Amino acid sequence: MGDKREPKIEAYPGPAGGWGSAKSVVEILKREKVPIPATVQELWRQNKPRGFTCVSCAWPQPEKPLKFEFCENGAKASAWELTSLRTTPEFFAQHTCTELLAWSDHDLEQQGRLTHPLRYDRASDKYVPVSWSEAFNDIGAELRRLREADPKSVVFYASGRASLETSYLYALFARLYGNNNLPDSSNMCHEATGVALRKSVGASVGTVVLDDFAKTDCIFFFGQNAGVNSPRMLHDLQKAAKRGVPIVVFNPLRERGLERFTDPQSPVEMLARRETPLATQYLQVKAGGDIAAIAGLCKTLLALDDEALKNGAQLVLDHGFIAQNCHGFDEFAAWLRAQDWADLEAASGLTRAEIERAAATYARANAVIGVYGMGLTQHVLGEYNIHLFANFMLLRGNVGKPGAGLCPVRGHSNVQGQRTVGIADDPALVPLNRLAEQYGFEPPREKGFNTVECCEGVLDGSVSGFIGLGGNFLRAIPEQELVTAAWRKLRLTVQIATKLNRSHLVNGEVAYLLPCLGRIEKVVENGVAQVLSTEDSTSCIHASVGKAQPASPELISETRIVAELAKATLPRNPKVPWDGWLEDYGRIRDAIEQTYPDQFRDFNQRMWQPGGFHRPNAARERVWKTDTGKANFILPPSLTATGFADAPNRFRLMTMRSNDQFNTTIYGYDDRFRGINGTREVVLMHQDDIARLGLHDGQTVKLVSDAGDGVQREVGGLRVVAFDIPRGCVGGYYPECNPLIPLSHYATFSKTPAAKSVPVRVVAC
Ligand SMILES: Nc1nc2c(c(=O)[nH]1)N[C@H]1C(S)=C(S)[C@@H](COP(=O)(O)OP(=O)(O)OC[C@H]3O[C@@H](n4cnc5c(=O)[nH]c(N)nc54)[C@H](O)[C@@H]3O)O[C@H]1N2
Ligand SMILES: Nc1nc2c(c(=O)[nH]1)N[C@H]1C(S)=C(S)[C@@H](COP(=O)(O)OP(=O)(O)OC[C@H]3O[C@@H](n4cnc5c(=O)[nH]c(N)nc54)[C@H](O)[C@@H]3O)O[C@H]1N2
Ligand SMILES: [Mo]
């Protein structure tokens, strides 16, 4: 199980959680050959006060944790890091990078943890071991040379796993170096959220805390797959469902984790195979059809309100809230009245009756939580999806009251926190004046590169150096083939990582692969164990204590790697105490508090609070930090979020995550809930579309880009799977389908790659 084998496609009868989950955890523990007692001991500490923060998703830690506060996918992520497998210098002596490029993503990471700092040797096309001091000196010298030529030519990428301490130092390093080129993985996921929510409600993050789930009386879900990507949330959903809270889901696919759940930690539920149904209504909206669906919901609320007014009944909209807090309601109402139901039905793929039923559920609830994920953000009109969702919530004052609010579910376990402490390409989001004063330098004021702009810079030659603090940049981005080809012309590439991945095999002229400790491992500096911290999806900040034995004695922390790189590169500045910070990471937290006094008051004390301390959020208090000083109703330019016109054989490709992966990390080849086992090389299609194209279930096809920009992009060898998916939409796995996404295909304002509606044709091979 878990390996590539004869594909088996067969509907999965079980719930999310349950015995399937338990079995899947046992399999990965075996596959990673982890020492079982030590691993169980670690899992016991996961997401607990004085334990470590799970390295998988960003769902918050409850104040009073469960006995085991982890889920199937959290356990997989921990086992992946605690593995006893090792990728040693001997391994690299045996394989060239070119040879390894032909390996699968799964096989590369399956070699285990990196153990030694490595330098790429161009002559042999192999990685060779190098000492830390040699690596830092050489990289420092290269970075100084690049800085002399153009300080804007180096990019400092971060994947969202590094701690607040490391992230703060990393952002400071980039600014002292001379640029704001700080793209991070959130540029590819919730960037659209930051941009859209700032305009709608003046906050760039969600407004709910965990406690709101206990108080809510209705939950609306758009394009977020909790059962796979934030499974601990299922406990909160299950509790809500058991209280009779309606859960309404808008998703093109019927995701099992949103349908029913068995708590694997409950012996009664497990033994009795008892399931809790979750979604009370499931609407299979077309990919890119949410603007129309939400407009339909809002139009219904308006009609219900009109009717109530006529009958002298209680009004449906919260007019008091709207008058006091909102801007643009009249224009929005006029726009809604002008919409034709036939257009809304066609663009959403839903019927008026279904939408009206969902709107009636919403209208009956006093406190509604609006949850969303990549299904809304990763579209050309991704920001408008979010604006419409915010409009919908504002109509009944569902922002800034107990049990209600917007809940974008963030991706990586510290991706939100990285932004909070300065990893941002937009200098307007950073207190530059305070940094200037604190560190006695003139920070760069020009906007830096985000992820898409970094790729553009690689293509046009304006980028010469790349540092990756985690992640798998070349595999995660769109337009993989062109960017990968240009990548080899970079002067310097440095990757800081725990495991080998594809991005490490495509190198600049000078290239290093620097291995680091993971979050579960003990970090010791000068004989003293150090503590790190992270921020979750609900803006709660907590300590994380790693205790596991390091995977190799050579490993040092990411915090140290960043500080040593900075020291080797930058002129000495007595106001920037890199060595002092490394002696005691608590001093980095003091520095963070000094830069962000309102957000991080008493950081070193409060991070120990069970469940963490909450960063203030003005929108939660109904203080609207927008251009109008109010919460804004914003109108969309179109009912469809795809950004391209429909055409007879043009499909909307949604790139999907399986239940057996964390982003580009492929744990195995089973997507249990969707019943696709032993393979990821599939394209999910509606039976009618299969027949219309004269194809058949099981046939091999290729997907070809239909972006109309003259660039040849295709992914072949995919097996057609007849699936319950809206007509006109097809599903394929991320990252295998990434070569099909044009670099220019992104959300308009945030440049979030539009990975949930990519224009493709399906062609028989
Ligand atoms: N186990 C595990 N956990 C993870 C990750 C992982 O890969 N594995 N990744 C982490 C990261 S970085 C992130 S950002 C999050 C991602 O977590 P999610 O936000 O859940 O992202 P996806 O699974 O990509 O897509 C979510 C859902 O959107 C639906 N969808 C697609 N298109 C549309 C649409 O147009 N409209 C609507 N309404 N729905 C649509 C899909 O069917 C899918 O169910 O999870 C994080 N957690
Ligand atoms: N088509 C398509 N493309 C997408 C998406 C999609 O839905 N569809 N989703 C996008 C999203 S939401 C995201 S967030 C990006 C993800 O993009 P990235 O964040 O760049 O990629 P990951 O796969 O999360 O990175 C995995 C690698 O991180 C390294 N790593 C793991 N743990 C650590 C650690 O503790 N420290 C360090 N230094 N390294 C570590 C390992 O070497 C591992 O190979 O992909 C985006 N790309
Ligand atoms: Mo993400």
Side-chain angles (χ1 to χ4, degrees):
M1 261 280 237
D3 287 333
K4 209 170 198 171
R5 56 183 199 286
E6 196 47 41
K8 196 164 119 206
I9 318 268
E10 196 175 70
Y12 179 68
W19 288 105
S21 174
K23 196 163 149 232
S24 184
V25 170
V26 171
E27 270 154 19
I28 190 152
L29 296 180
K30 280 201 276 186
R31 195 156 70 234
E32 296 292 340
K33 301 192 172 49
V34 293
I36 300 282
T39 306
V40 170
Q41 200 182 344
E42 287 307 324
L43 290 176
W44 175 259
R45 299 179 58 250
Q46 191 155 321
N47 295 320
K48 300 261 181 70
R50 305 216 162 248
F52 69 91
T53 305
C54 179
V55 293
S56 191
C57 79
W59 193 245
Q61 309 178 352
E63 218 175 293
K64 295 197 188 80
L66 299 169
K67 202 182 289 169
F68 282 103
E69 189 56 44
F70 66 84
C71 65
E72 170 184 342
N73 288 338
K76 283 184 192 167
S78 295
W80 178 93
E81 189 165 309
L82 292 167
T83 179
S84 64
L85 304 172
R86 299 288 179 267
T87 314
T88 58
E90 291 72 48
F91 169 85
F92 288 105
Q94 283 162 18
H95 304 283
T96 64
C97 285
T98 308
E99 182 196 336
L100 290 171
L101 263 179
W103 289 27
S104 69
D105 298 299
H106 171 266
D107 291 349
L108 291 173
E109 294 207 23
Q110 195 57 38
Q111 301 312 305
R113 292 285 301 277
L114 295 163
T115 58
H116 286 73
L118 302 159
R119 182 172 54 78
Y120 177 61
D121 175 53
R122 188 156 293 277
S124 61
D125 185 27
K126 286 179 178 169
Y127 272 113
V128 293
V130 60
S131 72
W132 281 110
S133 58
E134 244 181 287
F136 292 137
N137 287 338
D138 191 23
I139 297 168
E142 286 291 335
L143 284 172
R144 280 198 303 277
R145 271 195 288 277
L146 291 173
R147 188 177 188 230
E148 269 161 38
D150 177 8
K152 310 241 173 337
S153 68
V154 174
V155 167
F156 298 81
Y157 173 70
S159 168
R161 204 174 273 193
S163 64
L164 290 168
E165 293 77 3
T166 309
S167 304
Y168 178 80
L169 296 192
Y170 194 58
L172 182 62
F173 177 23
R175 297 204 165 89
L176 288 164
Y177 186 79
N179 69 48
N180 288 301
N181 291 341
L182 285 156
D184 80 347
S185 59
S186 75
N187 289 149
M188 295 181 260
C189 50
H190 273 292
E191 195 62 39
T193 290
V195 169
L197 288 188
R198 268 196 295 280
K199 289 188 198 162
S200 281
V201 296
S204 51
V205 297
T207 67
V208 299
V209 294
L210 203 46
D211 191 42
D212 288 313
F213 279 82
K215 296 182 179 147
T216 191
D217 49 30
C218 179
I219 303 174
F220 267 67
F221 250 92
F222 276 85
Q224 201 273 337
N225 189 8
V228 167
N229 297 321
S230 50
R232 283 183 300 112
M233 183 186 199
L234 296 185
H235 295 287
D236 302 297
L237 293 181
Q238 186 185 35
K239 277 189 233 150
K242 284 185 174 170
R243 286 197 290 118
V245 169
I247 300 174
V248 181
V249 176
F250 288 76
N251 194 311
L253 303 178
R254 293 195 72 92
E255 304 286 24
R256 184 57 45 87
L258 297 168
E259 292 185 311
R260 46 201 164 91
F261 175 57
T262 295
D263 180 359
Q265 297 189 36
S266 157
V268 176
E269 288 189 16
M270 288 291 271
L271 293 173
R273 294 186 180 264
R274 196 179 293 159
E275 303 176 355
T276 308
L278 297 176
T280 46
Q281 191 186 355
Y282 209 112
L283 299 99
Q284 283 181 271
V285 63
K286 267 192 212 171
D290 301 276
I291 292 177
I294 303 173
L297 292 171
C298 296
K299 188 175 168 72
T300 308
L301 293 175
L302 205 59
L304 291 173
D305 195 64
D306 290 345
E307 204 179 288
L309 184 66
K310 208 166 68 198
N311 301 336
Q314 197 184 347
L315 294 182
V316 171
L317 305 187
D318 188 340
H319 290 282
F321 170 83
I322 294 171
Q324 207 184 337
N325 293 279
C326 302
H327 175 267
F329 171 72
D330 292 341
E331 292 82 353
F332 183 51
W335 179 83
L336 288 173
R337 288 184 205 284
Q339 297 309 310
D340 198 74
W341 269 109
D343 294 338
L344 297 177
E345 287 186 315
S348 64
L350 301 171
T351 64
R352 176 175 176 174
E354 307 177 82
I355 296 176
E356 285 179 341
R357 191 183 139 207
T361 307
Y362 176 85
R364 277 194 296 273
N366 289 319
V368 180
I369 291 180
V371 179
Y372 71 90
M374 298 302 97
L376 289 196
T377 62
Q378 293 179 334
H379 289 284
V380 171
L381 266 62
E383 293 92 2
Y384 289 102
N385 277 334
I386 299 163
H387 289 316
L388 264 275
F389 200 21
N391 292 354
F392 172 62
M393 297 295 282
L394 291 172
L395 285 177
R396 281 178 55 80
N398 276 313
V399 180
K401 71 178 172 192
L406 286 155
C407 181
V409 183
R410 304 296 298 238
H412 274 290
S413 49
N414 192 37
V415 66
Q416 186 169 310
Q418 294 196 329
R419 266 297 148 74
T420 304
V421 296
I423 294 191
D425 52 280
D426 179 358
L429 302 176
V430 184
L432 293 182
N433 292 341
R434 201 165 278 135
L435 288 177
E437 198 184 316
Q438 202 171 340
Y439 299 113
F441 79 119
E442 188 39 55
R445 306 266 163 179
E446 216 175 291
K447 189 191 145 349
F449 292 142
N450 58 29
T451 294
V452 164
E453 290 156 356
C454 168
C455 295
E456 290 165 351
V458 171
L459 291 173
D460 71 20
S462 52
V463 170
S464 307
F466 178 94
I467 304 188
L469 179 59
N472 188 358
F473 189 81
L474 280 177
R475 197 66 173 139
I477 54 165
E479 206 75 272
Q480 251 162 33
E481 284 172 21
L482 291 178
V483 180
T484 300
W487 199 260
R488 298 181 194 276
K489 297 194 199 118
L490 297 180
R491 171 65 192 168
L492 175 70
T493 53
V494 178
Q495 302 279 2
I496 303 162
T498 48
K499 284 199 182 171
L500 180 64
N501 65 43
R502 202 162 288 280
S503 299
H504 309 150
L505 301 170
V506 183
N507 294 323
E509 277 171 58
V510 177
Y512 283 88
L513 177 50
L514 306 179
C516 64
L517 291 167
R519 189 184 299 152
I520 310 177
E521 288 163 321
K522 205 185 319 180
V523 175
V524 178
E525 299 284 0
N526 292 326
V528 181
Q530 303 294 325
V531 176
L532 295 164
S533 59
T534 58
E535 173 179 337
D536 65 36
S537 242
T538 58
S539 311
C540 285
I541 291 161
H542 23 69
S544 176
V545 187
K547 287 212 169 142
Q549 271 316 313
S552 144
E554 288 285 322
L555 295 184
I556 59 177
S557 75
E558 289 179 314
T559 325
R560 177 167 281 278
I561 293 175
V562 169
E564 295 290 353
L565 286 174
K567 273 167 57 188
T569 307
L570 302 169
R572 236 184 66 77
N573 171 348
K575 287 196 155 182
V576 188
W578 300 108
D579 286 323
W581 281 332
L582 287 180
E583 270 169 34
D584 174 0
Y585 294 5
R587 295 182 193 152
I588 311 178
R589 288 185 286 277
D590 289 337
I592 295 175
E593 184 175 340
Q594 207 185 330
T595 311
Y596 305 91
D598 304 337
Q599 319 259 350
F600 286 93
R601 184 174 47 80
D602 297 333
F603 189 3
N604 270 306
Q605 285 79 47
R606 291 202 298 156
M607 70 176 183
W608 294 109
Q609 232 166 268
F613 68 88
H614 189 245
R615 232 167 23 89
N617 180 324
R620 196 175 155 78
E621 312 303 322
R622 296 193 168 171
V623 173
W624 315 104
K625 295 188 169 172
T626 61
D627 53 352
T628 59
K630 304 253 176 173
N632 291 314
F633 284 99
I634 295 174
L635 305 186
S638 149
L639 288 181
T640 302
T642 59
F644 54 85
D646 288 330
N649 286 326
R650 181 177 294 155
F651 287 87
R652 301 173 185 184
L653 166 68
M654 318 166 9
T655 54
M656 315 178 298
R657 292 172 158 77
S658 81
N659 184 48
D660 223 1
Q661 75 183 82
F662 188 90
N663 297 339
T664 68
T665 294
I666 310 301
Y667 300 127
Y669 292 89
D670 291 347
D671 194 1
R672 188 170 84 248
F673 300 142
R674 299 197 186 108
I676 298 165
N677 298 298
T679 180
R680 296 172 53 85
E681 285 160 306
V682 292
V683 52
L684 312 186
M685 294 181 75
H686 191 281
Q687 184 59 53
D688 290 355
D689 287 329
I690 298 176
R692 192 168 53 81
L693 296 190
L695 303 172
H696 60 82
D697 189 29
Q699 182 171 348
T700 304
V701 295
K702 63 181 177 185
L703 291 179
V704 180
S705 167
D706 197 22
D709 58 0
V711 180
Q712 188 74 23
R713 303 179 189 90
E714 57 177 64
V715 171
L718 302 174
R719 169 186 166 138
V720 171
V721 173
F723 208 78
D724 183 6
I725 185 171
R727 290 173 191 80
C729 304
V730 295
Y733 286 113
Y734 145 61
E736 288 82 349
C737 286
N738 283 41
L740 292 162
I741 311 176
L743 189 56
S744 58
H745 190 62
Y746 50 65
T748 319
F749 302 96
S750 57
K751 298 200 175 173
T752 309
K756 293 293 183 273
S757 50
V758 183
V760 295
R761 278 178 293 121
V762 183
V763 178
C765 289

